[in-house]
Amino acid sequence: MKRQILLALAVLLAGNLLAQENYKTITKEDSLKIYHGTITYPVKTFRESPKSKKPKNIILMIGDGMGTAQVFAGLTANHGKLFLNNFKHVGFSETQSADHYITDSAAGGTALSSGYRTYNGAIGVDTDTIARPTMLEIAAKKGKATGLVSTSAITHATPASFIAHQPSRNMYEAIAGDFLKTDIDVFIGGGYKHFTQRHDGQDLTAELKAKGYLVLQDMNEIEKVKSGKLAGLTAAEHNPVASERDNMLPRATETALQILDNNKKGFFIMIEGSQIDWGGHQNNTNYVVEEMLDFDQAIGNALEFAARDRETLIVVTADHETGGMAITGGNMQTGMVHGSFIWGGHSGVMVPVFAFGPAADQFTGIMKNEDIGKKLISLIQAQ
C-alpha cells in the first residue's frame, strides 16, 4: 500500500514539474502574453445611496474591446480589487450590428449612443444612412451640459458616434466639422490634425475659439480649467499608450466632471478607454492590462463624484470584445496575468454591463446594445 502511495506521489510530482516546465517554455516564447504585475493602486469602497429613482447626471463609460476576460485580467493584476467591484448591478450586452454578427466600434458606438443598430462603419446614422439623434444631442436640447473624453482621437469611431452623423467612420475631417454643429461643453482627446491639417484648408480650432471654446493641447493646462467651454486636443491623432500618457484619462475624467457639474440642470458625458481594444488587436496581454487598469482608475474618479453627488448614474460597458481573450494563468498575490487570444479581430461574445446610482437596476440581465442606448435616452428625456 505504501509503495502504491509513493508511486502515485511520484507520478503527481513528475506531472507538476512537467507542467511547470511547459509553462516556463510558453512564457519564454510568448512574452507579449504575460503581464508581470508592475502596477498597483488602492481601491476605495463607495456607498450607493441615490437621492431619487431618476438620475440628474449620466456618465457612460465605454471600455473599447473590454470583455469579461479583460476585466478579470485587470482584477488579477491589481491583486483582486478594481473600482468596478463597487458596482452591484451587473448585466450583459449582445453586441451584434445590423449587418454583421461581429460589430465594429462605429456600429457598436452608434447602437449605444442612439438606440439604433446600424451597419458596420456607420457613425450616428441608421441602416438607411438617416441621422439619428444621440443621447448627447438629446441631453443638450434638454439644457444639460455635455462632454466626451477619449484616449483615442476624439474623432475616432466611438466618441464620433455620440456627436457626428456620417456614413463612414473614416471621414475624420467631416466628423471634426460636426463638432462645430453642436454645443458640446467639453471634449478631451486626440485628433488635433483633423481640426487643423485639413484638405479644405480650414482651421477649425479658430472656429471653436470664435464659439467661446478654450482650445488647449497640454494636459497640465487642461486640468486647470474649472468652467466654460473646453476643447482639449491632447495629440495630433491618437494619444500614446497608458504608460506614456501620465494618467491622462483619469485626469481628463476629473476635469470634465468638474466643468460639467456647473450646469444646474445636470449633464451627460461619454468617457472611453479606447486602447483596451488595441491591446486585443495586438494579442498583447501587457497592453490590455495596463489600459484596463487605466480605465478602472478613471472609473474610480467617476465613482468618487457619483457617490458624493448621489444624483449620478454611471453605466460602464463595452462596444464589443477584442481578440477572444482567455486567461490561461495568473497570480492574485503577484498580479501576474497570462493571456491567450484566438485571433486579432473583434469577437461576437456578450460584454459586461455595470451600473451604479439612480436607475442602476434597469441595467441588469441580458440586453441588446441598442437597448442600453434606449434606456439611457429615456432617462434623459424623462427629466
Side-chain angles (χ1 to χ4, degrees):
M1 185 66 177
K2 289 182 179 179
R3 184 177 179 182
Q4 290 175 325
I5 293 172
L6 289 171
L7 181 60
L9 287 171
V11 171
L12 181 61
L13 179 60
N16 285 340
L17 288 172
L18 180 60
Q20 290 174 18
E21 184 58 36
N22 286 341
Y23 186 74
K24 288 176 183 176
T25 301
I26 291 170
T27 60
K28 288 176 182 177
E29 293 176 351
D30 211 353
S31 60
L32 286 180
K33 295 185 177 179
I34 306 287
Y35 172 79
H36 291 289
T38 56
I39 300 170
T40 60
Y41 53 89
V43 170
K44 295 181 183 178
T45 298
F46 294 99
R47 185 171 172 235
E48 187 178 25
S49 56
K51 288 182 181 178
S52 64
K53 293 183 179 180
K54 294 180 180 179
K56 174 183 173 183
N57 311 310
I58 292 175
I59 303 171
L60 175 60
M61 306 190 74
I62 298 175
D64 200 309
M66 182 189 74
T68 54
Q70 286 81 353
V71 172
F72 198 69
L75 188 79
T76 301
N78 203 42
H79 309 290
K81 293 182 179 180
L82 290 177
F83 282 106
L84 276 172
N85 290 22
N86 284 278
F87 291 74
K88 306 306 178 189
H89 298 90
V90 181
F92 290 95
S93 170
E94 299 175 9
T95 64
Q96 283 63 45
S97 69
D99 70 338
H100 207 290
Y101 188 76
I102 308 296
T103 191
D104 79 328
S105 291
T110 298
L112 292 169
S113 72
S114 69
Y116 284 87
R117 276 193 173 175
T118 190
Y119 61 90
N120 283 1
I123 296 291
V125 298
D126 64 17
T127 52
D128 296 316
T129 69
I130 296 171
R132 294 295 179 175
T134 71
M135 61 184 67
L136 184 148
E137 294 168 324
I138 293 167
K141 286 185 178 179
K142 298 286 286 186
K144 293 181 177 293
T146 57
L148 290 173
V149 172
S150 177
T151 56
S152 70
I154 204 70
T155 49
H156 208 232
T158 303
S161 67
F162 283 80
I163 198 167
H165 303 280
Q166 299 295 338
S168 171
R169 60 181 290 173
N170 297 321
M171 300 171 68
Y172 296 115
E173 293 184 7
I175 289 166
D178 282 349
F179 276 76
L180 275 300
K181 300 174 184 177
T182 75
D183 289 318
I184 186 171
D185 293 86
V186 54
F187 55 95
I188 305 173
Y192 183 76
K193 74 175 189 178
H194 299 142
F195 290 83
T196 56
Q197 300 173 28
R198 299 168 54 84
H199 289 93
D200 60 14
Q202 294 184 50
D203 180 356
L204 298 188
T205 61
E207 294 186 40
L208 286 168
K209 290 173 184 176
K211 289 189 69 174
Y213 287 88
L214 185 61
V215 180
L216 298 171
Q217 294 178 264
D218 186 342
M219 195 62 221
N220 292 323
E221 295 301 314
I222 289 168
E223 67 180 353
K224 294 176 183 177
V225 181
K226 308 300 180 186
S227 62
K229 288 186 174 292
L230 171 65
L233 296 167
T234 53
E237 190 165 15
H238 302 305
N239 290 284
V241 297
S243 60
E244 299 173 11
R245 287 199 302 266
D246 194 19
N247 294 315
M248 172 261 174
L249 185 61
R251 293 162 69 195
T253 297
E254 188 172 4
T255 300
L257 293 178
Q258 187 168 22
I259 294 170
L260 297 178
D261 193 38
N262 290 311
N263 189 314
K264 302 301 181 184
K265 292 184 178 180
F267 63 79
F268 166 80
I269 186 171
M270 191 286 293
I271 300 166
E272 183 197 25
S274 319
Q275 298 188 38
I276 301 168
D277 172 63
W278 302 353
H281 281 301
Q282 293 185 21
N283 289 181
N284 186 328
T285 299
N286 190 75
Y287 194 174
V288 168
V289 171
E290 290 192 356
E291 294 296 333
M292 185 68 226
L293 296 178
D294 180 68
F295 184 53
D296 186 63
Q297 289 175 79
I299 292 169
N301 284 351
L303 278 167
E304 186 91 46
F305 175 90
R308 181 178 67 249
D309 172 76
R310 298 175 56 207
E311 295 183 282
T312 300
L313 169 66
I314 306 174
V315 174
V316 182
T317 190
D319 47 358
H320 53 74
E321 192 275 345
T322 304
M325 184 180 186
I327 299 176
T328 51
N331 188 310
M332 288 283 188
Q333 282 67 49
T334 66
M336 184 276 289
V337 180
H338 185 279
S340 296
F341 301 83
I342 59 170
W343 72 326
H346 300 169
S347 74
V349 300
M350 295 187 295
V351 296
V353 183
F354 304 88
F356 179 100
D361 58 351
Q362 294 188 28
F363 298 88
T364 61
I366 297 176
M367 298 164 277
K368 289 182 170 61
N369 53 4
E370 76 265 33
D371 291 335
I372 297 171
K374 288 174 182 175
K375 289 180 181 184
L376 290 171
I377 288 171
S378 178
L379 289 168
I380 293 168
Q381 290 175 328
Q383 297 173 37

